[in-house]
Amino acid sequence: MDETFGVKVMELRALMENRGKEGLTAIEQKFGDIEGLIKRLKSNATRGLDSNDDNDFAARREAFGINYIPPKPPKPFYLLMWEAAQDVTLIILMVAAIISIVLGMTVEEDKKTSWIEGAAILISICVVIFVTAGNDWSKERQFRSLQTKLDEDQKMSVIRNGESQEVFTKDIVVGDILQLGYGDILPADGIYITGNDLSIDESTLTGETDHIKKGVDKDPMLLSGTSVMEGTCKMVVTAVGPNSQAGIIVSLIEGEEEDFSEEDSETEENDDDDDGEGVTVANGNGKAKVVRPSNKKEKSVLQGKLTRLAIQIGYFGTAAAVLTIFVLVIKFCANNFIVGKLACRISSANDQGVTVYHWDHKNHDLESCQTANTNASISNHEILRFKGWEKEYVSELLEFFIIGVTVLVVAVPEGLPLAVTISLAYSVRKMMTDNNLVRHLDACETMGNATAICSDKTGTLTTNRMTVVQSFFQGKLIKNTPSNDMVEKHVREVFSNSVAINSNYASKVLPPKVAGNLPSHIGNKTECALLQFCGELGQDYEEIRKEYTEETFFKVFTFNSKRKCMATVLKTETGYRLYAKGAAEVVLGKCDYILSEDGQPTKLNPATYDRLVSEVIEAMAGEALRTICVAYRDIEDSLDWDDEDVCIKHMTCISIVGIEDPVRTEVPDAIKSCQRAGVCVRMVTGDNLITARSIARKCYILPQTHDTDEGNHILEGSAFRKLVHDDNGTFNQEKFDMVWESLRVLARSSPADKYTLVTGIINSKLSKNREVVAVTGDGTNDAPALKAADVGFAMGIAGTEVAKNASDIILTDDNFTSIVKAVMWGRNVYDSISKFLQFQLTVNVVAVMLCFIGSCAHGASPLRAVPMLWVNLIMDTFASLALATEPPTPDLLNRKPYGRTKPLISRTMLKNIVGHSFYQLTIMLVILFYGKPLFHLDLWVYESKAPTTHGTLLFNVFVFMQIFNEINSRKVHGERNVFSGIFNNYIFVAVIIGTIIVQGFIIQYGGIAFSSSGLSWKLWLVSLGIGFSELIWGQVIATIPKSVIPTGLRFGSQPVTAEEANQARMLWMRSLKRVQHQIRVANAFKQAGHERHRRLSLLAEASSHKSQTANDGSHWWTAMKNDTDKLKGYKSAHQPLLEGVEDDTAV
């Protein structure tokens, strides 16, 4: 069907593989010019496509494809089960269980029942594998759903039916006319039609940090995944989805990723310790090459602490397992080969009259031996100690090995990875309802440790509903809407012309959808306020734009953070006219004239300038208004239009306006909550110092009675740079440390200042527990700070795609109160994991010590393998579900943050773990060594391999102490009321009830499989009573001060060395890997919603074309001229889209 459009999809794919002048030449040879290409695609550069023609859109999708790159298919459930079965400890248990079954059916005397324990172990392992695979499968579904949501939420501005419309990126088709602006990420490939001052960052394709200037006569090729860093343009879409450059790379990766050369495979193995995972692509020689990301973020705060804790638990578990096996084997050898085992030696004569001996190992006394052995040839019976080898010893040694492995399984908290995942996933889902769209899962818990928030002003602390409330025209300061007689008609016209023309044409004011409501603002809010003000002056900005279309513009100087103004040049009959608007003090400083009372230009002398600054600009700023100056200049002769300093000067000031952006009503209380929670809020804004101070006081960032700027509470960007840099412009951490603690407001700041502030605070060691910094941003230039912060918040409404792509969390309502909610959820995640650790480690310590002591004392573990697997792998899974889904409470904001280095296991937690472990172990040892006479039982647990009442009671008491201690574990800060809010978490209540029911079934009906013989109602009361005593003992422990725990006893706090990390992998096998990977589960959908963009960084390897190098420009991002030169050499924030990504969508 693509013949219908006069061009085939493969021709367009081939066209987009060209770069620079090559692309321009290819267009001319094939289509004549860009207009010819548009005609072949049956589109129109001015009107775009007909949005009402559904048949046309269907034909385009059939001919050229849809704008959607299918994700990698999810792993099937059986494969997830296979991966779960790769756990080394489970494999060891499986092998041991199979050997146990074989020996039980061949060697053991009771062949009918000896195989049951081995089979029960296998069944338990299957349950563990099934639960693990089910968890991974559910988790993958949740995150794919999140990725789909992010994809569907992306919109772009297109022209259809001659009007600008917002459409979802997946609905874009070949032939659409897209409108691109500052901060956009291209959703498809296309050709430049017209635009102004367009610069594109193609570093994801080429690795070049210089921005590429685009134009009809320069380089018209625009590629998906690249970012608009400056200017605007219209482009015609030529390739979408799998046929775009991003889609081609995805196909290339999926088709070639297994084509390794031997040398490259070795390289990959040698680089196994690198921070990032490699991604394989084909190179020009047909071989594969591993491309690794760079600049990977450090581990999250919780991840680092869990890694450290994993190492410490690994040491403990391995030592306990090895020591248990060693003691059992030594005792076995001593008893059987040194001391010997009592047996009856029977003497008899053979046919030749020679005396021979054989042993009866079943009868250990003379009378029973004589009764059992009555053959006439027997001459003598005697009881001796046998010191030889018996075939049954193989089974006993195997049992020792199984006990040791089971101790290791118990020591390793297998439920911890599940608790981490459940807590994070649960919180992420709930945070979405609180307007926090979490892109990187670890950001959720990191936010709970945040000690500082560096926030933007506009839209975050304020409503972002801009309105012009004051204006200065013709020498008069007007504090309401000017009437016609207050402002000359030609002044109103030149003002409206300047605003309407010198704005992004995507900014517009639409009538309210409901009568009586406020007009809708689309696009830049400041420009919308000015456009609405034009209407109040009686001017129609739409009519002006119809007369002066974007195609008539001669030159555009787009707004950026350096020039702080925007200018547009039109060609007139007498020469040129330049319109400018921007920060009032900046634009006014470039004016030589001002419109006087009669509306005519008069000379702007220094005295008038000073009066305007003090009486107009500063007066407006003092009322927290944003001040904008609008000006124009008539130019007769041509200038060097690439030199903005030559063009933007000698202007005439038309007006100065004050735009109000009210503080959100809920923000002051939210900031007070942060301050109570120990989180310092700093405001970083581009507004002038007076406006910033006024807003900061209204928000309670600055004290209400603070009348001076002493103590560096508020600084301008220029003063800040002087204070934190050496004379040669190099950043000095020592100087920075003298400034940042007292700093609350940074005004007239550049993106580089924000980056310096964020990284400086993170790297500072002034704070005892190190600072954890969150930052908000909406612009493309905020991306480095968003990337560098521990948690980056992008604005979902006002934020650019580049900013969102660099962020960890997207605020869907652009509201600061949503950040406070993120702090609360983050702390809840941290506390949930702490609760589970407190519970899990108590179980592990008691179980390991009980197994070790029992094994040393009696040569066998009092808790058999299957019951221990039930306790550790099944009940703890339920416990992780119960404790990880506790809802947050406002009390979480009444304590200080933990910071970066505070131990994961606090002294209070350690006191609880030690106290409850001591109590439980004491109870268990009393029952183990004195249970038979105390409870009038028949047999000790070690006197029979068959289930005994003694062993069943031990098992039941142990489980019920854990059930009641699970209730104690709901509080980790020393609270006494452990039942507070328990019914707010129905999952917890269901888990407790369910565990009791299952435990009762196991005890009464578990039989040989669970080494259970059932209990009488009296022993059930004993079990419940001892379990309930855990609650009373918890109150006793709460009375003991935490000072009894030495301050130097720290778990999960220090940095992890590479050697320790490697040891931990060996010691903790699967669990450490699962913790590290599941807590970074966002890597499975890294840059969620932008999966295709991460693939683009591979195009440089896959393509034989070189990108055209950009012309030298004044872009702060790449060159960092003048005082922001300190960032020179840093990659653009969205460049490492590939960083930290693992090809592991199933996690």
Side-chain angles (χ1 to χ4, degrees):
M1 173 158 312
D2 46 359
E3 288 82 357
T4 306
F5 298 98
V7 60
K8 297 182 178 181
V9 63
M10 296 308 296
E11 292 177 319
L12 293 175
R13 283 181 57 157
L15 173 66
M16 296 313 300
E17 291 177 358
N18 294 288
R19 303 287 183 271
K21 294 290 186 180
E22 294 177 359
L24 194 60
T25 302
I27 293 173
E28 292 174 350
Q29 291 177 350
K30 185 69 177 178
F31 306 102
D33 56 17
I34 296 174
E35 187 63 33
L37 171 61
I38 296 174
K39 288 181 179 178
R40 295 272 285 275
L41 292 173
K42 295 190 176 181
S43 185
N44 185 286
T46 304
R47 294 191 54 79
L49 301 177
D50 183 358
S51 60
N52 299 317
D53 191 347
D54 294 336
N55 293 331
D56 180 55
F57 282 96
R60 292 177 186 276
R61 292 189 178 99
E62 183 174 347
F64 304 111
I66 60 175
N67 196 30
Y68 174 73
I69 300 176
K72 187 176 180 180
K75 292 182 180 178
F77 191 78
Y78 72 85
L79 186 56
L80 294 176
M81 292 186 65
W82 172 253
E83 291 179 350
Q86 304 307 303
D87 184 334
V88 176
T89 53
L90 291 184
I91 292 174
I92 293 173
L93 283 176
M94 279 189 280
V95 172
I98 293 171
I99 295 175
S100 176
I101 292 173
V102 172
L103 292 177
M105 298 177 68
T106 57
V107 176
E108 296 285 348
E109 295 179 1
D110 188 2
K111 297 181 175 58
K112 293 183 178 181
T113 59
S114 297
W115 60 272
I116 293 179
E117 183 172 2
I121 294 175
L122 284 180
I123 293 172
S124 299
I125 292 171
C126 290
V127 171
V128 172
I129 291 172
F130 186 83
V131 170
T132 303
N135 173 50
D136 288 342
W137 179 78
S138 174
K139 195 167 54 207
E140 182 179 352
R141 287 187 61 197
Q142 293 171 6
F143 295 131
R144 282 181 178 269
S145 175
L146 175 60
Q147 179 176 346
T148 301
K149 176 176 173 58
L150 286 167
D151 281 334
E152 292 176 350
D153 283 347
Q154 295 181 75
K155 287 186 175 183
M156 287 295 295
S157 177
V158 303
I159 297 176
R160 291 179 181 175
N161 301 332
E163 297 180 354
S164 177
Q165 302 179 15
E166 293 283 325
V167 302
F168 292 109
T169 55
K170 62 183 178 63
D171 295 329
I172 293 173
V173 297
V174 171
D176 258 326
I177 307 299
L178 264 59
Q179 292 179 305
L180 301 177
Y182 170 73
D184 285 338
I185 294 179
L186 276 66
D189 294 348
I191 303 296
Y192 180 103
I193 301 175
T194 183
N196 301 293
D197 205 19
L198 184 68
S199 291
I200 298 290
D201 185 345
E202 294 185 349
S203 57
T204 52
L205 296 174
T206 65
E208 293 288 340
T209 56
D210 290 337
H211 299 165
I212 311 298
K213 292 285 188 181
K214 297 289 183 175
V216 174
D217 56 348
K218 299 176 183 177
D219 180 0
M221 317 305 289
L222 302 174
L223 305 175
S224 56
T226 58
S227 307
V228 179
M229 305 308 298
E230 192 172 3
T232 60
C233 85
K234 289 198 301 186
M235 84 169 198
V236 58
V237 176
T238 55
V240 295
N243 296 310
S244 66
Q245 294 301 295
I248 293 171
I249 295 303
V250 171
S251 301
L252 177 65
I253 293 172
E254 292 180 353
E256 301 291 339
E257 61 185 357
E258 296 181 358
D259 184 18
F260 284 95
S261 67
E262 182 177 349
E263 178 181 354
D264 290 322
S265 297
E266 291 176 359
T267 303
E268 183 180 19
E269 291 176 5
N270 293 336
D271 292 339
D272 185 57
D273 291 331
D274 287 354
D275 286 337
E277 294 291 336
V279 180
T280 309
V281 296
N283 58 24
N285 299 324
K287 293 184 177 181
K289 181 176 180 180
V290 176
V291 180
R292 295 188 180 275
S294 59
N295 295 344
K296 185 177 179 179
K297 257 188 179 180
E298 294 182 358
K299 294 176 180 176
S300 71
V301 176
L302 180 61
Q303 184 186 351
K305 292 180 179 181
L306 283 173
T307 301
R308 182 69 183 185
L309 183 64
I311 294 168
Q312 294 166 335
I313 293 176
Y315 289 143
F316 171 73
T318 304
V322 171
L323 189 59
T324 300
I325 295 175
F326 179 77
V327 169
L328 288 173
V329 171
I330 291 297
K331 189 169 184 178
F332 172 82
C333 293
N335 288 337
N336 291 284
F337 303 125
I338 298 177
V339 177
K341 187 167 72 171
L342 286 176
C344 179
R345 191 176 75 166
I346 303 167
S347 306
S348 61
N350 60 14
D351 296 338
Q352 287 77 30
V354 179
T355 301
V356 294
Y357 303 94
H358 71 273
W359 292 85
D360 181 356
H361 296 284
K362 293 182 180 180
N363 299 290
H364 302 151
D365 60 272
L366 192 60
E367 184 179 352
S368 60
C369 181
Q370 291 174 342
T371 303
N373 300 275
T374 59
N375 192 293
S377 63
I378 296 175
S379 60
N380 189 29
H381 299 79
E382 54 185 335
I383 303 299
L384 300 174
R385 290 191 176 274
F386 179 77
K387 301 179 181 180
W389 174 263
E390 293 187 62
K391 61 181 181 180
E392 289 83 0
Y393 289 171
V394 175
S395 179
E396 290 190 46
L397 290 173
L398 177 63
E399 187 174 347
F400 297 158
F401 180 72
I402 290 177
I403 290 173
V405 174
T406 307
V407 168
L408 177 60
V409 170
V410 171
V412 175
E414 286 286 340
L416 179 58
L418 184 58
V420 171
T421 303
I422 289 174
S423 182
L424 289 174
Y426 170 77
S427 299
V428 165
R429 290 197 302 272
K430 294 295 185 180
M431 287 175 70
M432 290 179 69
T433 63
D434 284 338
N435 302 307
N436 284 273
L437 183 57
V438 181
R439 300 181 64 249
H440 301 153
L441 213 62
D442 54 359
C444 178
E445 52 83 9
T446 303
M447 196 60 208
N449 291 285
T451 58
I453 299 174
C454 298
S455 174
D456 278 352
K457 176 185 75 69
T458 303
T460 309
L461 302 176
T462 60
T463 62
N464 203 23
R465 175 74 194 190
M466 305 287 193
T467 307
V468 176
V469 295
Q470 294 187 26
S471 59
F472 179 84
F473 280 102
Q474 299 176 234
K476 299 184 290 290
L477 181 59
I478 307 168
K479 294 197 174 184
N480 48 39
T481 302
S483 59
N484 290 341
D485 59 341
M486 298 176 70
V487 182
E488 297 288 340
K489 181 180 179 182
H490 76 277
V491 175
R492 283 186 273 127
E493 289 176 349
V494 71
F495 175 86
S496 298
N497 283 350
S498 179
V499 169
I501 294 170
N502 187 38
S503 297
N504 190 328
Y505 274 33
S507 297
K508 58 182 71 175
V509 179
L510 302 178
K513 296 180 179 180
V514 179
N517 286 359
L518 295 173
S520 300
H521 288 181
I522 307 299
N524 184 279
K525 304 303 180 182
T526 302
E527 291 182 343
C528 289
L530 293 172
L531 294 172
Q532 184 171 328
F533 186 59
C534 291
E536 295 172 357
L537 293 176
Q539 305 296 309
D540 189 346
Y541 76 90
E542 291 183 342
E543 292 299 322
I544 298 172
R545 287 180 171 179
K546 288 179 182 178
E547 181 179 355
Y548 299 98
T549 62
E550 290 181 281
E551 288 76 13
T552 63
F553 294 172
F554 178 77
K555 176 68 177 178
V556 175
F557 297 95
T558 54
F559 181 90
N560 63 35
S561 58
K562 180 183 176 183
R563 63 171 67 107
K564 293 191 181 298
C565 68
M566 175 183 180
T568 301
V569 181
L570 297 177
K571 193 169 180 59
T572 63
E573 295 179 357
T574 59
Y576 307 90
R577 170 163 284 194
L578 178 145
Y579 292 113
K581 74 173 189 303
E585 65 272 26
V586 173
V587 175
L588 187 64
K590 297 181 179 182
C591 291
D592 291 348
Y593 303 91
I594 186 171
L595 296 183
S596 62
E597 294 181 5
D598 60 358
Q600 300 302 315
T602 59
K603 189 70 175 177
L604 180 61
N605 56 50
T608 304
Y609 174 84
D610 292 340
R611 184 176 63 84
L612 288 173
V613 171
S614 62
E615 298 180 8
V616 179
I617 297 176
E618 291 184 356
M620 290 181 178
E623 298 181 36
L625 303 182
R626 171 176 290 184
T627 55
I628 302 293
C629 181
V630 180
Y632 76 96
R633 176 188 179 187
D634 287 322
I635 305 169
E636 296 181 358
D637 300 323
S638 182
L639 302 174
D640 181 1
W641 299 109
D642 291 329
D643 189 344
E644 63 181 81
D645 293 331
V646 173
C647 301
I648 307 177
K649 65 178 183 178
H650 304 315
M651 296 187 295
T652 300
C653 174
I654 305 171
S655 174
I656 299 172
V657 297
I659 300 178
E660 182 183 45
D661 185 13
V663 173
R664 293 180 184 267
T665 56
E666 65 273 20
V667 162
D669 288 339
I671 290 180
K672 289 178 184 177
S673 297
C674 283
Q675 292 166 348
R676 284 197 307 271
V679 182
C680 179
V681 180
R682 295 177 173 85
M683 186 174 77
V684 184
T685 178
D687 278 338
N688 63 50
L689 188 142
I690 299 173
T691 303
R693 181 192 293 119
S694 177
I695 294 291
R697 284 179 181 162
K698 290 182 179 180
C699 295
Y700 288 87
I701 293 175
L702 287 178
Q704 301 299 296
T705 58
H706 190 69
D707 296 325
T708 67
D709 297 332
E710 294 178 356
N712 294 329
H713 277 71
I714 178 169
L715 292 172
E716 284 191 321
S718 56
F720 173 74
R721 289 189 288 272
K722 290 178 182 178
L723 288 173
V724 303
H725 288 83
D726 292 331
D727 295 337
N728 59 1
T730 304
F731 174 75
N732 187 311
Q733 184 69 46
E734 292 183 2
K735 287 186 174 182
F736 180 85
D737 287 343
M738 298 171 64
V739 173
W740 72 266
E741 279 196 301
S742 60
L743 182 64
R744 294 297 179 270
V745 178
L746 189 57
R748 279 288 180 244
S749 63
S750 67
D753 294 332
K754 180 185 284 189
Y755 180 90
T756 300
L757 180 64
V758 171
T759 55
I761 294 176
I762 291 175
N763 294 327
S764 176
K765 297 182 180 179
L766 285 183
S767 301
K768 179 182 177 181
N769 291 321
R770 300 283 300 278
E771 299 288 316
V772 178
V773 183
V775 65
T776 69
D778 55 5
T780 299
N781 289 342
D782 289 327
L786 290 170
K787 206 73 172 176
D790 293 295
V791 181
F793 287 88
M795 303 297 106
I797 300 173
T800 64
E801 286 301 313
V802 173
K804 294 175 185 177
N805 200 38
S807 69
D808 300 296
I809 299 175
I810 297 174
L811 298 178
T812 57
D813 62 348
D814 291 10
N815 195 332
F816 184 84
T817 55
S818 298
I819 301 177
V820 180
K821 292 176 183 176
V823 172
M824 188 168 67
W825 276 108
R827 291 189 175 187
N828 190 62
V829 168
Y830 198 96
D831 277 8
S832 294
I833 295 169
S834 297
K835 292 171 186 176
F836 180 76
L837 272 174
Q838 180 174 287
F839 170 74
Q840 173 81 81
L841 294 181
T842 302
V843 177
N844 293 356
V845 169
V846 176
V848 169
M849 294 302 297
L850 184 64
C851 290
F852 177 72
I853 295 173
S855 300
C856 294
H858 301 299
S861 170
L863 296 178
R864 301 291 174 87
V866 175
M868 286 174 68
L869 284 175
W870 153 247
V871 169
N872 188 67
L873 301 179
I874 302 174
M875 194 180 82
D876 291 348
T877 297
F878 296 149
S880 66
L881 182 64
L883 294 172
T885 53
E886 288 275 348
T889 63
D891 292 341
L892 290 167
L893 297 178
N894 293 333
R895 62 170 173 81
K896 303 300 181 185
Y898 291 130
R900 193 178 298 275
T901 59
K902 191 169 182 178
L904 179 61
I905 299 179
S906 66
R907 293 169 72 190
T908 301
M909 288 175 60
L910 193 56
K911 179 190 70 172
N912 292 337
I913 292 170
V914 173
H916 285 288
S917 297
F918 171 78
Y919 178 74
Q920 291 183 20
L921 191 59
T922 301
I923 296 292
M924 294 298 292
L925 291 178
V926 168
I927 297 176
L928 176 63
F929 292 109
Y930 303 101
K932 181 179 176 181
L934 275 176
F935 301 108
H936 308 291
L937 306 177
D938 296 331
L939 293 172
W940 294 99
V941 64
Y942 48 83
E943 288 183 327
S944 172
K945 290 187 177 181
T948 63
T949 304
H950 184 213
T952 304
L953 178 64
L954 271 170
F955 174 43
N956 204 38
V957 168
F958 179 74
V959 168
F960 272 94
M961 283 197 293
Q962 310 317 319
I963 291 173
F964 284 96
N965 189 42
E966 192 171 341
I967 300 175
N968 283 327
S969 297
R970 295 184 62 248
K971 306 298 178 182
V972 290
H973 300 294
E975 302 94 331
R976 285 191 175 274
N977 186 1
V978 294
F979 291 96
S980 174
I982 191 171
F983 293 108
N984 294 331
N985 184 5
Y986 65 89
I987 296 178
F988 182 91
V989 177
V991 165
I992 293 294
I993 295 174
T995 304
I996 292 174
I997 293 173
V998 174
Q999 177 66 14
F1001 181 85
I1002 289 174
I1003 292 298
Q1004 298 302 124
Y1005 306 105
I1008 296 175
F1010 282 89
S1011 301
S1012 174
S1013 64
L1015 294 177
S1016 66
W1017 66 270
K1018 292 182 180 180
L1019 293 180
W1020 266 106
L1021 288 179
V1022 169
S1023 301
L1024 289 171
I1026 294 175
F1028 182 81
S1029 69
E1030 263 288 324
L1031 297 177
I1032 301 173
W1033 181 251
Q1035 297 301 307
V1036 175
I1037 293 177
T1039 307
I1040 302 172
K1042 66 179 181 181
S1043 57
V1044 300
I1045 302 296
T1047 55
L1049 201 58
R1050 301 165 69 88
F1051 294 94
S1053 60
Q1054 302 299 323
V1056 185
T1057 65
E1059 181 180 357
E1060 286 179 320
N1062 287 333
Q1063 291 173 350
R1065 291 189 192 97
M1066 297 178 64
L1067 294 171
W1068 201 12
M1069 302 295 184
R1070 169 92 168 162
S1071 288
L1072 172 58
K1073 185 176 179 182
R1074 281 170 58 83
V1075 171
Q1076 291 175 324
H1077 284 260
Q1078 290 190 33
I1079 199 172
R1080 298 180 313 196
V1081 75
N1083 288 346
F1085 60 105
K1086 186 82 168 179
Q1087 315 302 340
H1090 305 290
E1091 177 70 15
R1092 56 187 179 280
H1093 304 323
R1094 78 177 182 86
R1095 307 289 191 174
L1096 289 172
S1097 59
L1098 308 176
L1099 187 58
E1101 300 292 338
S1103 175
S1104 59
H1105 301 285
K1106 292 183 178 179
S1107 295
Q1108 181 176 339
T1109 304
N1111 298 329
D1112 291 337
S1114 179
H1115 305 297
W1116 79 271
W1117 182 290
T1118 55
M1120 294 307 301
K1121 306 295 184 184
N1122 304 327
D1123 52 19
T1124 58
D1125 190 58
K1126 65 183 180 58
L1127 286 181
K1128 186 174 183 180
Y1130 276 77
K1131 294 184 178 180
S1132 60
H1134 64 285
Q1135 179 178 345
L1137 294 176
L1138 170 64
E1139 71 168 32
V1141 177
E1142 299 175 357
D1143 193 9
D1144 185 20
T1145 55
V1147 196

